[in-house]
Amino acid sequence: MKKLCALIFFSLFSINGLVVSSAPPKRPSAKAEPQGMHKRDFMLQQFPGDTLYFNSQQYRVMHAEMAQEYMLTRSIGPGRFMQLSFSMEGVLLEQVHYLRRTPYQNDLEGPYRKWNLQGELIFEAFYEQNKLHGPLITFWDGWQIRRREEYQQGRLVRGSCFDEQGGELAHFPLFVPAAFPGGEEARQHFFSRQLTYPPRAVALAESGYVLVEFVVDKEGMVGQARLLRGVSPDLDQEALKAIEAMPRWIPARFDGETCETWLVMPLHFKLL
């Protein structure tokens, strides 16, 4: 089969370098069937008055008895909203403030906080015009400060990290993205070998970008690939097959611990 000329890159689903789910959802078992859209699909998108329910995998469900948490949005001023997530026992888990600048653009604006199931604050940051601006603090369980940073318009100005006893550590990045084993060159080599142009797509002169989203879990395993934007059934299937065949990645790290992250990879199919 004719090999394709591929321009391949990926982008992490994040907000200004800060992964939305700092405490990532559990990875579904092999038999689990996701229901509805993922919670991240509703970030900064929900309308006031709606109450949405999510299961333990962070997928939307339609009934409260199937849910592990719920989300609601409140209007707090002209164009300003606060999105709140609670456990089904009523424990506040997340608070996000955002500003609706246009019908198609919502920006983080104000505090963003997360709590554990014991009601202890584990994360606090502030945003201005969709960029980190001001203090960012994370906590060990029991309110002990784990990280303290200061930002100006998305730029890190200073930062300190601490162990569970309060001793200062060498500062390290809050978030380290997942990485393909061997780096960019190895990833390009993988796709140059893995991807082929389906004969029917060649005959029909089909080309373009296929946009695929997938998860890299805490062990680096790739899964839950889904099509975000397609070109044709043949090219879409080829892209999904290649994504699902990827080897284990080096998992992302958030505040020093491995975490699950969602990635988006556009694959460019172009006939020579």
Side-chain angles (χ1 to χ4, degrees), residues 148-223:
R148 187 193 301 273
E149 295 178 336
E150 188 74 24
Y151 288 83
Q152 289 185 0
Q153 291 299 309
R155 182 176 62 87
L156 176 65
V157 177
R158 64 183 67 89
S160 300
C161 299
F162 305 91
D163 62 25
E164 293 183 77
Q165 289 71 46
E168 188 163 1
L169 304 172
H171 183 265
F172 56 90
L174 174 66
F175 181 73
V176 179
F180 191 90
E184 178 62 21
E185 185 176 345
R187 185 160 60 89
Q188 292 285 352
H189 181 66
F190 169 82
F191 281 103
S192 69
R193 295 178 57 190
Q194 187 70 33
L195 286 169
T196 56
Y197 235 110
R200 184 166 56 181
V202 174
L204 295 174
E206 294 173 342
S207 63
Y209 286 92
V210 178
L211 197 62
V212 181
E213 182 183 50
F214 60 96
V215 69
V216 175
D217 69 15
K218 292 192 291 186
E219 286 75 45
M221 301 300 295
V222 173

Side-chain angles (χ1 to χ4, degrees), residues 27-28 40 59 212-217 220-226 243-247 249 260-263:
R27 179 166 59 93
R40 71 189 180 284
Y59 284 95
V212 181
E213 182 183 50
F214 60 96
V215 69
V216 175
D217 69 15
M221 301 300 295
V222 173
Q224 301 184 55
R226 67 172 184 171
I243 293 293
E244 291 168 350
M246 286 191 296
W249 285 50
E260 183 177 273
T261 53
W262 287 84
L263 307 177

Side-chain angles (χ1 to χ4, degrees), residues 12-115:
L12 175 69
F13 175 82
S14 63
I15 297 179
N16 294 312
L18 174 62
V19 68
V20 171
S21 296
S22 60
K26 296 179 181 178
R27 179 166 59 93
S29 66
K31 297 181 179 180
E33 289 293 335
Q35 301 182 53
M37 298 173 68
H38 197 274
K39 182 180 176 182
R40 71 189 180 284
D41 296 321
F42 297 94
M43 293 296 293
L44 314 189
Q45 299 297 326
Q46 190 184 3
F47 292 99
D50 293 345
T51 299
L52 304 180
Y53 298 98
F54 301 91
N55 62 18
S56 61
Q57 300 163 23
Q58 302 277 284
Y59 284 95
R60 187 183 180 186
V61 293
M62 301 309 296
H63 305 290
E65 56 268 22
M66 302 170 62
Q68 293 292 317
E69 63 179 81
Y70 63 95
M71 176 194 290
L72 54 85
T73 297
R74 296 173 179 169
S75 176
I76 56 174
R80 294 181 177 271
F81 301 90
M82 178 171 60
Q83 200 165 58
L84 302 166
S85 295
F86 297 86
S87 72
M88 297 307 293
E89 292 73 36
V91 177
L92 179 61
L93 300 175
E94 188 173 48
Q95 178 192 71
V96 183
H97 290 246
Y98 64 96
L99 175 65
R100 180 161 295 161
R101 297 192 181 279
T102 74
Y104 308 102
Q105 181 184 356
N106 296 327
D107 289 345
L108 287 166
E109 187 81 18
Y112 178 12
R113 300 183 178 99
K114 295 178 74 73
W115 291 263

